[in-house]
Amino acid sequence: MPFSNLPLLVYIYQIWEEEGIEAIETWNVGEQQELEGDEESKLSIALDINSTCAKVAFFIISKSMNSPTPQFVPSRLGIYEPIHQIGIWGENFKSNGNPNTSTSVIVEVDNKLENESETTSHEMLTASKNYEQEASKPIDKIQRRLAQNREAARKSRLRKKAYVQQLENSRLKLIQLEQELQRARQQGLYMGGVLEGSHIGFSGTVNSGIAAFEMEYGRWVDVQHRQICELRTALNAHISDIELRILVESGIGHYFELFRMKSTVAKADVFYVISGVWKTSAERFFSWIGGFRPSELLKVLVPQLDPLTEQQILEVCNLKQSCQQAEDALSQGMEKLQETVSSTVAGGPVDEVSYIPQVATAMEKLEALVSFVNQADHLRQETLQQMSRILTTCQAARGLLALGEYFHRLRALSTLWATRPPEPSLP
Amino acid sequence: MQQAIPYKSLPLPCIDATSHRARSTTTLGHNGRGKDVLNIVSENAVIVLARKGCCMSHVVRRLLLTLGVNPAVHEIDEENEAGILNELGTICKGTENNKMVQLPAVFIGGRLFGGLDKVMATHISGDLISVLKDAGALWL
């Protein structure tokens, strides 16, 4: 047998060992008989066959190594025996140099072990008995237990997987239902019964957009947490600048990914983004047009970046000022939008029943909200990029760590707040 | 007793010659024809073209004001929008922008500068002030 088959055989052997019973069922091709009896005996019978197959595999492996001398093959069977003892079975199967039939040889051996004539099987059993007498009996028990454990673990894993899958589906359904409920309430309040028919279809797509974003954002937070830990480790380990640069780039890119996600869901429901329901309560407290304030970001970052060169201090100062100016401009634009929408909704005679024209016009004006969210995210993006231009790689890494840690702490604060003990009610 | 000279009759020195032309924050006026729009664009150091009642143009204006620039604002009616944008598109092919002109559009020194995106990005990177100075919109 060519040497190149060794990895394949070893792999097959490993699968046998790991999969235990499964392997027997898989590899005994053509084997129709069901093993009778309860699980225990089934296991033990299968185990015997399994260990025999394993030993056969040893033999094949040793043959493929083409070594005349007896090999000691360590195994999980706990058998440390010269292979030549297994050579008793040599006449029971043919060894051929054809690589393609290496697996079939093993299968063949299996079948032969089960279906062969009395003499060979008897010989087999004797040899097997001899062999097993050599090996200690407790090993069989250990074998049995190991296989049982493996099987139980496998089943447990499958059950867990199914359960988690179910949970995920239920969660998605729950989110969708909640959204629909909220939407139905809102729509019921000001749209009357006129547009109900049309909006149900729309809310379906909106809900799926929101549900998709919620899942993506959950993953985003997990990745964020992982990145922060990586940055912390990297900075403590003093890795090279080049490696650190990679981490910094992926960190910044991760924020850009969030802005992209927000842009998509803003098209589905801009109020969802602006309300900040997708964030934790403490984060929402600081929310500005659907996210963090860039000037706030700078306030968090800068103290962590010491020491800064004079040039850097100047540039950061300028950036702070530009940021503030841009923020103010956007805030004023938002105020103008509020005034416009308010006057539109309030306009028109109140003694008339139909308010659809006013509301419809207001809807048009509210489209501008999407632009505001996009512009605000764009500002955040530009601020992050400018900071990465001003700072060295190491400083940028420290900055990203500080920022990520800040948001992480805000989230923890939200959780703590939600679980704080209720205040005693006053009499 | 001498009469006090009315404030209005005194000729005041123009500190900022170009922004003086578009002193008011109200619109220059509605003008449907593309050619007229181009004239206005070339006449002003800084001008913002926007739809009527656009809140984004308000943002641009406020930002430029904080820098000390008082931009002219020209409002475009919906019906004239497509025609004007076409005209501008053909003129501006020479510049970096290959896309259609988006409103609100900012023109600096008679040339298309970009939308709110571009203004924000240039402002954050610290280059906007020098761009405005080069176009003669800022003097200090």
Side-chain angles (χ1 to χ4, degrees):
Chain A
M1 213 172 292
F3 190 77
S4 60
N5 286 323
L6 178 60
L8 174 64
L9 292 174
V10 172
Y11 178 66
I12 293 164
Y13 164 64
Q14 280 171 352
I15 290 182
W16 283 0
E17 275 294 291
E18 276 163 14
E19 293 304 314
I21 310 304
E22 251 193 338
I24 299 303
E25 289 159 0
T26 316
W27 282 105
N28 285 351
V29 178
E31 201 38 59
Q32 290 305 318
Q33 66 205 54
E34 285 265 321
L35 294 169
E36 301 282 313
D38 64 333
E39 201 75 353
E40 171 77 27
S41 62
K42 191 169 168 183
L43 271 172
S44 59
I45 295 167
L47 251 175
D48 286 339
I49 301 170
N50 188 26
S51 65
T52 318
C53 292
K55 291 166 196 167
V56 166
F58 284 146
F59 183 80
I60 294 169
I61 289 166
S62 74
K63 276 257 177 198
S64 74
M65 282 174 158
N66 224 8
S67 155
T69 57
Q71 300 270 334
F72 282 89
V73 181
S75 80
R76 286 201 256 152
L77 299 176
I79 302 167
Y80 281 73
E81 295 288 343
I83 294 295
H84 71 254
Q85 287 197 352
I86 313 177
I88 298 166
W89 308 327
E91 56 206 284
N92 288 344
F93 56 89
K94 313 160 186 83
S95 71
N96 44 26
N98 194 337
N100 292 331
T101 61
S102 59
T103 53
S104 61
V105 169
I106 299 169
V107 176
E108 215 180 330
V109 169
D110 273 358
N111 290 332
K112 286 209 172 145
L113 290 172
E114 317 267 315
N115 302 327
E116 265 291 328
S117 62
E118 299 268 320
T119 47
T120 14
S121 54
H122 180 72
E123 228 175 290
M124 260 296 307
L125 284 170
T126 350
S128 154
K129 278 206 184 108
N130 287 341
Y131 199 86
E132 261 161 72
Q133 272 160 24
E134 299 282 337
S136 34
K137 286 249 162 72
I139 287 172
D140 264 351
K141 280 201 191 133
I142 296 170
Q143 272 285 83
R144 201 167 301 156
R145 230 183 305 128
L146 282 173
Q148 274 173 333
N149 284 347
R150 278 195 293 273
E151 185 58 29
R154 191 176 69 85
K155 284 194 179 144
S156 169
R157 278 194 297 269
L158 286 174
R159 274 200 306 270
K160 183 183 175 184
K161 197 172 163 187
Y163 180 62
V164 168
Q165 198 65 39
Q166 228 184 9
L167 272 181
E168 290 279 315
N169 290 342
S170 308
R171 196 173 153 267
L172 262 176
K173 272 188 212 147
L174 184 65
I175 291 169
Q176 280 183 3
L177 278 172
E178 277 179 355
Q179 293 294 335
E180 267 181 43
L181 191 64
Q182 203 191 30
R183 206 162 308 282
R185 278 208 200 108
Q186 283 178 355
Q187 301 283 11
L189 279 174
Y190 64 76
M191 272 307 185
V194 177
L195 299 166
E196 243 175 34
S198 60
H199 94 257
I200 286 174
F202 174 68
S203 70
T205 3
V206 169
N207 289 338
S208 66
I210 290 175
F213 174 81
E214 297 239 327
M215 282 208 59
E216 272 182 29
Y217 181 65
R219 277 196 288 267
W220 187 90
V221 171
D222 291 338
V223 173
Q224 179 76 346
H225 187 68
R226 188 171 44 81
Q227 284 186 345
I228 298 306
C229 295
E230 275 176 12
L231 270 172
R232 196 177 284 128
T233 319
L235 283 168
N236 288 335
H238 304 291
I239 66 173
S240 73
D241 250 23
I242 301 169
E243 290 171 339
L244 203 56
R245 189 81 228 161
I246 296 171
L247 286 179
V248 167
E249 295 288 321
S250 74
I252 294 180
H254 195 57
Y255 281 108
F256 291 4
E257 182 61 38
L258 178 62
F259 300 145
R260 271 194 293 275
M261 283 159 52
K262 282 165 72 182
S263 172
T264 308
V265 77
K267 287 190 198 108
D269 184 357
V270 70
F271 280 123
Y272 172 78
V273 178
I274 286 201
S275 69
V277 296
W278 49 281
K279 294 194 285 186
T280 61
S281 41
E283 287 174 293
R284 222 177 297 142
F285 175 55
F286 293 99
S287 189
W288 174 78
I289 313 187
F292 57 84
R293 273 184 188 276
S295 56
E296 185 71 35
L297 181 161
L298 292 174
K299 270 189 234 150
V300 169
L301 282 186
V302 172
Q304 302 286 336
L305 301 173
D306 289 332
L308 290 169
T309 67
E310 271 201 35
Q311 174 68 18
Q312 283 179 325
I313 293 175
L314 179 65
E315 286 179 319
V316 167
C317 214
N318 288 339
L319 179 58
K320 270 190 185 166
Q321 196 184 36
S322 315
C323 233
Q324 195 60 57
Q325 287 165 342
E327 268 177 45
D328 289 344
L330 277 173
S331 297
Q332 279 162 0
M334 281 287 274
E335 273 174 32
K336 175 108 191 295
L337 182 61
Q338 273 186 338
E339 278 170 29
T340 314
V341 171
S342 177
S343 61
T344 307
V345 170
V350 287
D351 49 350
E352 283 194 13
V353 180
S354 171
Y355 46 72
I356 301 292
Q358 286 81 19
V359 173
T361 316
M363 284 235 337
E364 268 176 39
K365 300 206 181 282
L366 277 174
E367 297 284 332
L369 260 181
V370 181
S371 309
F372 273 100
V373 169
N374 288 336
Q375 287 300 330
D377 277 347
H378 179 68
L379 180 61
R380 292 173 187 117
Q381 188 162 316
E382 288 299 316
T383 307
L384 280 171
Q385 276 210 314
Q386 181 68 1
M387 275 304 272
S388 81
R389 272 182 228 126
I390 296 174
L391 301 175
T392 65
T393 308
C394 187
Q395 286 168 328
R398 291 218 307 273
L400 276 175
L401 174 60
L403 193 63
E405 181 63 19
Y406 177 69
F407 289 123
H408 178 69
R409 289 181 190 176
L410 279 182
R411 283 181 219 120
L413 174 61
S414 308
T415 314
L416 261 179
W417 181 262
T419 55
R420 80 194 189 283
E423 287 180 12
S425 54
L426 300 166
Chain B
M1 194 165 70
Q2 284 203 327
Q3 231 178 7
I5 303 166
Y7 187 71
K8 266 191 204 154
S9 65
L10 282 177
L12 294 166
C14 279
I15 304 164
D16 193 344
T18 46
S19 71
H20 171 75
R21 209 170 309 169
R23 176 185 300 167
S24 63
T25 52
T26 57
T27 67
L28 286 177
H30 304 233
N31 208 315
R33 284 168 298 200
K35 213 172 86 178
D36 295 329
V37 172
L38 289 173
N39 285 338
I40 296 171
V41 163
S42 50
E43 279 169 15
N44 286 281
V46 184
I47 177 168
V48 180
L49 289 185
R51 279 182 214 110
K52 209 163 129 187
C54 174
C55 292
M56 281 304 169
S57 71
H58 190 75
V59 176
V60 180
R61 217 163 52 213
R62 301 269 9 144
L63 184 57
L64 290 172
L65 276 171
T66 54
L67 297 177
V69 177
N70 195 345
V73 178
H74 183 83
E75 286 185 347
I76 302 178
D77 283 330
E78 235 179 280
E79 57 259 19
N80 304 318
E81 194 179 307
I84 294 178
L85 287 181
N86 267 330
E87 277 273 352
L88 291 170
T90 49
I91 306 298
C92 301
K93 243 183 209 156
T95 62
E96 320 87 53
N97 305 39
N98 294 324
K99 310 181 261 189
M100 266 282 284
V101 178
Q102 296 239 344
L103 295 180
V106 179
F107 290 80
I108 300 183
R111 297 213 334 256
L112 174 66
F113 182 69
L116 180 55
D117 269 11
K118 185 85 195 286
V119 173
M120 284 284 192
T122 321
H123 180 55
I124 292 294
S125 63
D127 301 325
L128 188 59
I129 301 237
S130 47
V131 168
L132 290 169
K133 278 191 187 159
D134 288 343
L138 270 181
W139 290 81
L140 272 171

